[in-house]
Amino acid sequence: MHPQISVAESYGIKSSELRTLMKVITENRELIERCWNEYFDL
């Protein structure tokens, strides 16, 4: 099971920029999780 991707807070970031960031994160989720787990030796 994977945690849900969401925005907790955003100060000074436009909605269009948040959508772009969420898209990039979603598209690279596996890479981000793999690197996170390797870094923290999980």
Side-chain angles (χ1 to χ4, degrees), residues 15-33:
S15 295
S16 60
E17 293 171 332
L18 283 174
R19 281 192 299 276
T20 300
L21 289 170
M22 290 297 291
K23 183 176 183 227
V24 169
I25 292 166
T26 302
E27 290 174 351
N28 293 285
R29 178 184 196 135
E30 288 182 25
L31 174 63
I32 294 167
E33 287 182 8

Side-chain angles (χ1 to χ4, degrees), residues 28-41:
N28 293 285
R29 178 184 196 135
E30 288 182 25
L31 174 63
I32 294 167
E33 287 182 8
R34 187 175 71 244
C35 292
W36 177 275
N37 290 336
E38 288 173 4
Y39 182 82
F40 289 103
D41 197 30

